[in-house]
Amino acid sequence: MAARVTAKRRGFAVRYTDAVQRRRDELCFGVWGIGFLVAWVRIWRDPDPVGVWDRFPRLFAGEWRPETPVAWICLLAGVGFRVWAAGNLEKNRFDRPKGPYRMVRHPLYLGTLLVSLAFFLSIGLPVTGLLLWVGLLAGVFLPVLRKEERELAGWFPGPYGRYRQLVPALVPDPRAVPAALASDVFTLERARRNFGLRALWFLLLVPALNVGLECWIWYRWHYPAA
């Protein structure tokens, strides 16, 4: 009986991970949408729009909140990691890791998580945003990451096993920066081919969503009865 329950759980975990892997981009933007909607509703229901305006982490003009510089750092670092990693990625090969792969095993996922954290910090709901970010990490990226690592360990049992022991999964090792720079083989063509240049759109999207919420706050401030 216990073996049957364990098998069912494993079967569900496999199906869940496969589904999440196929739809991880849609799920990521879906969680972003939940955060944006929660911020929008909160502004609509808050009886003190002036207070919301004063507390909102504006990414451009106005007095910055403590979240503002952190959001910008995460956004720029996330986009940079995605572009850099895509320009060093050689699919279906694993001989020697290059560029950011010397610092962290999953720089593309790290970049997406940093950009997502920047977005959640920019919507004025740090606690709710952080909870959504943790849910995204635990529910989407970690299961997919583990599945991909099992596959890579099967394809490259010797070298990938050593690589996993030496390089962290998602937290970059700053001591490996010299090795990452020395082994870098970045090209714009490879970054384009691996869809890394798409990450540059986040430099417009995240601030645009922030400005959209600012405009909503301004509207509620000047038309409180609407």
Side-chain angles (χ1 to χ4, degrees):
M1 183 66 181
R4 187 180 304 171
V5 172
T6 302
K8 287 183 178 179
R9 289 177 179 172
R10 288 177 179 171
F12 171 78
V14 170
R15 291 193 299 272
Y16 172 82
T17 303
D18 289 344
V20 167
Q21 187 178 35
R22 289 193 301 270
R23 294 285 184 264
R24 60 180 178 269
D25 291 341
E26 294 91 332
L27 289 169
C28 186
F29 281 113
V31 175
W32 279 38
I34 292 171
F36 191 82
L37 181 62
V38 170
W40 187 277
V41 171
R42 182 206 172 195
I43 294 166
W44 175 54
R45 298 182 62 181
D46 199 301
D48 182 21
V50 178
V52 175
W53 179 264
D54 291 336
R55 297 190 302 269
F56 193 74
R58 293 183 288 278
L59 296 186
F60 292 112
E63 183 180 352
W64 283 12
R65 297 286 299 167
E67 302 96 318
T68 303
V70 179
W72 273 114
I73 291 170
C74 289
L75 177 60
L76 295 174
V79 170
F81 259 104
R82 282 201 62 86
V83 174
W84 188 22
N88 279 273
L89 177 62
E90 296 178 323
K91 292 184 176 180
N92 302 320
R93 288 186 58 186
F94 187 84
D95 43 17
R96 296 184 62 186
K98 301 175 179 65
Y101 291 90
R102 298 293 293 269
M103 300 169 57
V104 62
R105 298 201 301 270
H106 300 277
L108 288 169
Y109 290 164
L110 171 62
T112 301
L113 287 167
L114 286 173
V115 171
S116 298
L117 183 58
F119 167 71
F120 289 129
L121 289 174
S122 75
I123 61 175
L125 297 172
V127 176
T128 302
L130 185 60
L131 290 175
L132 288 170
W133 184 82
V134 170
L136 190 64
L137 171 65
V140 176
F141 285 95
L142 287 182
V144 173
L145 180 156
R146 293 191 183 106
K147 179 188 176 185
E148 291 181 353
E149 293 208 329
R150 287 194 298 269
E151 293 173 347
L152 287 168
W155 296 335
F156 311 101
Y160 196 78
R162 292 190 294 272
Y163 178 62
R164 291 179 68 179
Q165 294 176 350
L166 296 174
V167 179
L170 287 172
V171 180
D173 183 359
R175 298 171 300 178
V177 171
L181 296 176
S183 63
D184 182 68
V185 292
F186 177 87
T187 66
L188 277 176
E189 173 57 27
R190 187 182 288 116
R192 183 199 64 78
R193 192 168 61 246
N194 291 324
F195 307 108
L197 298 183
R198 292 181 180 181
L200 296 174
W201 284 105
F202 288 123
L203 297 176
L204 298 176
L205 179 61
V206 173
L209 293 173
N210 178 266
V211 170
L213 288 175
E214 280 191 62
C215 293
W216 180 229
I217 296 171
W218 182 92
Y219 180 82
R220 294 295 299 162
W221 181 1
H222 289 82
Y223 302 96

